Structures are given as structure tokens and as C-alpha cells.
Amino acid sequence: MSRLFSVFVAFVASFLLIGSAQAEVKVLTSIKPLQLIAAAVQDGVAIPEVLLPPGASPHNYALRPSDVRKVQSVDLLYWIGPDMEGFLPRVLNGRTLPSIAVQDLPGMKLRRFAEDSHSHAEDADEHDHDHRPGTLDAHLWLSPVNARVIADKMAADLSAADPANAERYQSNAKAFDQRLDALDQRLKQRLASVEGKPYFVFHEAFDYFEEAYGLKHTGVFSVAAEVQPGAQHVAAMRKRLQEVGKTCVFSEPPLRPRLAETLVAGLPVKLAELDALGGYTPATAQGYEQVLEKLGNDLAGCLESL
């Protein structure tokens, strides 16, 4: 009897383990910042996956067959929306499980590109992501306010899909919110000394972060990271750099634009990087904060060194 009972207990235990494994909710995000927010919410339960590899552009990524299979099979998929990942809508049309475009969430604080942000449009080909005046600025993850909204939505979705861990998801979301409060204070202190200092960016990707911390870039060299500005615009921007004097020009990894060195040659200008995506940041509970803190430190560090 004892042996039969032991066998029975082992069977029940293995059944429960299998059931637990099957209950794990598979989360996929389109880009790294969303993965980092999901990692904060899922901390201690699971690690979310991300679709785009480091260095890939969310505007025009080419999906592999394995990517398409992953998109179709995961339980929850989060993406910014068609204003950012233009390659995704066609694939999502065949998906039956939940797909959440975070740009459509209630409570999101969204920006739109202004008239003066597109003065260089004549130099670019037409792109869905070419920052036309009035179109949505989809770099919305760089706002801590929006990150809170996204985390709350993820916690609600995960709690519904995985009730056994609902308390953990809600607790993680609350802890994330508290850490963002602390991060917000650190960034305000860090960036206060460079408020009002002029700087330039190659790609207009940082307006949400700038708005949150009282900053504003002086000029933009390209409509998108993948688009090279024309000669007329380059000449105009070099003249603007000469007028400003000591300043920083920020590109985005992984590649510095080819014209960067030519643009600043002979001028008191420093070239530096700002990483809006944090592509190589580990998917940990603190990953999102690390991306924003590094962004603030890199921006302030260059401007303070002038």
C-alpha cells in the first residue's frame, strides 16, 4: 500500500508540475523598452520575449519565418502601434490571441509632431514614419507617465490570464510605479543643470523625455534614423551649429550617421549618443529605469563637458 501511495503522490506531483508549466503566460513585445516594462511586471514569474534584436529598426524590420510563428503563438503581444512598427499589422491580421497596441491605451499622454519639427521634409523620401506635422510621435515609451499606464495594463492582462500569480503581478506593478517616482526625482536633479542648453539630434526621437524634464533640442538633422538628409539641409544645419557655438550633437546607436564628422568638422561641437531603445539592456525588473537613467546621464554628461 505504501508503495502504491508513493507512486500515486509522484503521479499527482508530476501532473501538477506539467499543469503549472502549461499555465505560464507567454508574453512577446515588439521592442526592447516594452520588454523591460513587461519584465518589471513579470518579475519572479517569467521573462518576456522581445521580437526585434538589438540594433534593428522598429520602423522597417523584416520578419523572419520564425518571428511570424512566434507572433502567432504567444499568449499576449504588446507593440507600440502602426505609427511605429509598420511591418506588424499585416502579420497581426492572422493572430487570434490578444494583441495590444499601447498607443491606444486610455490614459496615455501622446504627442504629435509640430510644424517646425519637419522643416527638412523636402529632403526625404516618403515614409510612414517621416514625422509629418500632426502625426503621432510614437516614441511614447520615453515618458515615465506612459510607462506606468503600460505596466498597469500588462498587470491587468497577466492577472486575468494567470490568476494564480495575480497578486504578484499587481505587487510588481506597484513597485515599478514607486521606483519610477524615485527615478523621476533623480532625473530632475541630474538634468536641472543643463536645462536651456542647446543641443542637436540626428533623429527626433526624444521629445517625450525632453518634455518630462524641461529640455528641448535646438535642431534635427534627419527625419528618421534610416534617412540621410539632403545637401541643402546639411548646409543649413552646419550654419546653425556655427551660430550656436559649443554644443553637442547626438546620434543613436548602433551606427553614427556617415555625415556626422563632416557636419561638425572644425566646429566646437561634441559628437555623442543617446540610446532611446536600450537594445542591450538585460530584461530585468530595473531595466526600464536603467534605460532612462542612462539617457539622462549621457545627455547631461556631454552638455556639462562643454
Side-chain angles (χ1 to χ4, degrees), residues 34 78-85 89 92 99-110 112 136-138 140 146 149-150 153 208:
L34 293 181
Y78 296 90
W79 60 309
I80 299 297
D83 291 274
M84 176 60 68
E85 307 96 329
L92 293 180
S99 302
I100 299 91
V102 300
Q103 70 179 46
D104 297 329
L105 294 179
M108 295 292 284
K109 303 299 182 184
L110 301 178
R112 294 189 178 274
L136 177 69
D137 180 351
L140 52 83
N146 289 339
V149 174
I150 295 168
K153 172 60 174 172
Y208 283 95

Side-chain angles (χ1 to χ4, degrees), residues 55-96:
S57 169
H59 294 305
N60 55 16
Y61 181 65
L63 287 167
R64 301 167 297 180
S66 59
D67 294 328
V68 175
R69 290 193 294 271
K70 189 179 294 184
V71 165
Q72 298 296 350
S73 65
V74 294
D75 300 302
L76 293 169
L77 185 145
Y78 296 90
W79 60 309
I80 299 297
D83 291 274
M84 176 60 68
E85 307 96 329
F87 64 90
L88 263 182
R90 179 178 56 84
V91 181
L92 293 180
N93 284 338
R95 180 174 156 81
T96 57

Side-chain angles (χ1 to χ4, degrees), residues 207-264:
D207 287 23
Y208 283 95
F209 186 83
E210 292 172 341
E211 182 180 52
Y213 298 105
L215 305 170
K216 178 60 182 172
H217 58 267
T218 304
V220 182
F221 294 127
S222 178
V223 293
E226 307 84 1
V227 180
Q228 290 292 316
Q232 181 181 354
H233 185 64
V234 171
M237 295 311 294
R238 182 169 168 82
K239 181 179 179 181
R240 186 76 181 100
L241 285 173
Q242 291 172 324
E243 294 170 351
V244 169
K246 290 183 178 181
T247 188
C248 291
V249 174
F250 295 101
S251 59
E252 294 175 73
L255 298 176
R256 179 170 288 174
R258 294 189 301 273
L259 61 85
E261 302 293 341
T262 301
L263 189 65
V264 305

Side-chain angles (χ1 to χ4, degrees), residues 2-285:
S2 177
R3 177 178 173 79
L4 287 174
F5 180 78
S6 298
V7 171
F8 175 77
V9 170
F11 173 80
V12 171
S14 64
F15 179 82
L16 290 175
L17 286 172
I18 293 171
S20 176
Q22 290 175 337
E24 181 179 310
V25 180
K26 297 293 185 182
V27 174
L28 176 68
T29 69
S30 58
I31 59 174
K32 172 63 76 168
L34 293 181
Q35 184 198 27
L36 298 178
I37 298 172
V41 176
Q42 289 190 283
D43 184 41
V45 180
I47 299 175
E49 294 186 83
V50 63
L51 190 61
L52 269 66
S57 169
H59 294 305
N60 55 16
Y61 181 65
L63 287 167
R64 301 167 297 180
S66 59
D67 294 328
V68 175
R69 290 193 294 271
K70 189 179 294 184
V71 165
Q72 298 296 350
S73 65
V74 294
D75 300 302
L76 293 169
L77 185 145
Y78 296 90
W79 60 309
I80 299 297
D83 291 274
M84 176 60 68
E85 307 96 329
F87 64 90
L88 263 182
R90 179 178 56 84
V91 181
L92 293 180
N93 284 338
R95 180 174 156 81
T96 57
L97 295 165
S99 302
I100 299 91
V102 300
Q103 70 179 46
D104 297 329
L105 294 179
M108 295 292 284
K109 303 299 182 184
L110 301 178
R111 294 178 52 88
R112 294 189 178 274
F113 291 110
E115 290 292 334
D116 60 356
S117 72
H118 201 68
S119 60
H120 47 284
E122 68 277 2
D123 295 325
D125 296 328
E126 283 298 316
H127 288 261
D128 290 337
H129 55 276
D130 66 357
H131 301 189
R132 291 186 297 273
T135 60
L136 177 69
D137 180 351
H139 306 86
L140 52 83
W141 66 86
L142 291 177
S143 162
V145 171
N146 289 339
R148 298 175 199 269
V149 174
I150 295 168
D152 287 344
K153 172 60 174 172
M154 289 176 171
D157 291 345
L158 285 161
S159 296
D162 181 17
N165 288 304
E167 186 175 344
R168 183 63 179 265
Y169 298 133
Q170 296 299 327
S171 174
N172 285 344
K174 183 177 180 180
F176 179 66
D177 187 74
Q178 293 170 344
R179 292 198 306 273
L180 286 186
D181 285 338
L183 172 68
D184 189 57
Q185 292 304 311
R186 293 197 304 273
L187 285 171
K188 285 177 179 176
Q189 292 175 6
R190 181 73 180 94
L191 294 165
S193 63
V194 299
E195 186 174 343
K197 286 194 174 184
Y199 62 92
F200 295 76
V201 295
F202 270 97
H203 173 210
E204 192 166 17
F206 305 99
D207 287 23
Y208 283 95
F209 186 83
E210 292 172 341
E211 182 180 52
Y213 298 105
L215 305 170
K216 178 60 182 172
H217 58 267
T218 304
V220 182
F221 294 127
S222 178
V223 293
E226 307 84 1
V227 180
Q228 290 292 316
Q232 181 181 354
H233 185 64
V234 171
M237 295 311 294
R238 182 169 168 82
K239 181 179 179 181
R240 186 76 181 100
L241 285 173
Q242 291 172 324
E243 294 170 351
V244 169
K246 290 183 178 181
T247 188
C248 291
V249 174
F250 295 101
S251 59
E252 294 175 73
L255 298 176
R256 179 170 288 174
R258 294 189 301 273
L259 61 85
E261 302 293 341
T262 301
L263 189 65
V264 305
L267 300 178
V269 174
K270 285 193 173 183
L271 292 173
E273 287 186 341
L274 295 178
D275 188 357
L277 287 169
Y280 291 96
T281 307
T284 66

